[in-house]
Amino acid sequence: MNSLFLLEAFLLFAAPGPTNALLMAGAVKRKRAITLLAAQACGYGIAAALWLSFRPLMPADAIQILKLIAAGWLVVLGLRLMASNPINVSESGDSLSVLATTALNPKAFIYCLAMVPMNAKPHVLGAYWIVLLGMTAATGSLWLLFGKRLRGGRSMADKVAGAALLGFALLLLRPLLAAAAI
């Protein structure tokens, strides 16, 4: 693992995405952000453990199916956030949304399937898993700080996060729609 790999991982997880949008919105809504960071860590930890474990067995079509599932989840969550009269959920409900969104986040499988070398030995995969958790904790904290500075209150944060989630769903579906059109 070199400095370039660490920079690429940081940029991947710092980039706007579904989990980061939820962290930003959560920071606007409440002062207790530790539960959201813990939910993010659990989601990425679970996703990365699965991707790193099963990647040699993964058929090519499985990634497309997972993209569809992730896009569907993002649409549901985005519409819920953008609703004119959103459902008020408890802090644990927001944490569950962050956990599920993170576990389905395409960044986890990009990291595990495209960035981590395919010939990495099992004991080295553990180091890559730890780097993922460290990077996501650092970048998630940055998004929480950004959310605390965001003006416009809870309603604005929900609408911005909802629109971002719908945008990410469309980005996930774009290659699939192009392939279906051919």
Side-chain angles (χ1 to χ4, degrees), residues 70-103:
W73 170 251
L74 294 178
V75 167
V76 167
L77 196 56
L79 291 175
R80 190 187 88 198
L81 285 170
M82 292 180 66
S84 58
N85 193 4
I87 300 167
N88 289 326
V89 295
S90 66
E91 186 170 325
S92 63
D94 282 349
S95 296
L96 287 175
S97 292
V98 169
L99 175 89
T101 301
T102 304

Side-chain angles (χ1 to χ4, degrees), residues 1 34 38 43 51 62 66 71 97 135 145-146 148 156 160-161 170 180:
M1 216 172 314
I34 297 300
W51 286 120
L66 289 169
S97 292
M135 275 306 160
L145 290 172
F146 177 66
K148 288 184 184 240
M156 176 59 87
V160 168
L170 290 174

Side-chain angles (χ1 to χ4, degrees), residues 2 13 16 19 21 26-27 34 46 71 74 78 97 113 118 127 137 145 161 165 169 171-172:
N2 58 31
F13 292 111
T19 299
I34 297 300
I46 291 166
L74 294 178
S97 292
L113 298 176
M118 288 304 279
L145 290 172
L165 293 175
L171 286 173
L172 275 178

Side-chain angles (χ1 to χ4, degrees), residues 8-31:
E8 289 172 346
F10 178 81
L11 293 175
L12 173 68
F13 292 111
T19 299
N20 293 337
L22 289 175
L23 290 174
M24 179 190 65
V28 169
K29 293 186 224 179
R30 74 184 48 77
K31 298 190 188 304

Side-chain angles (χ1 to χ4, degrees), residues 55-137:
R55 69 190 186 144
L57 308 172
M58 191 73 60
D61 292 342
I63 292 175
Q64 302 306 325
I65 293 168
L66 289 169
K67 283 184 181 181
L68 283 172
I69 293 168
W73 170 251
L74 294 178
V75 167
V76 167
L77 196 56
L79 291 175
R80 190 187 88 198
L81 285 170
M82 292 180 66
S84 58
N85 193 4
I87 300 167
N88 289 326
V89 295
S90 66
E91 186 170 325
S92 63
D94 282 349
S95 296
L96 287 175
S97 292
V98 169
L99 175 89
T101 301
T102 304
L104 293 171
N105 193 324
K107 289 180 183 181
F109 63 80
I110 290 169
Y111 177 84
C112 294
L113 298 176
M115 292 179 65
V116 173
M118 288 304 279
N119 61 352
K121 302 287 184 213
H123 68 281
V124 176
L125 291 177
Y128 282 105
W129 185 75
I130 291 169
V131 167
L132 174 128
L133 292 178
M135 275 306 160
T136 58

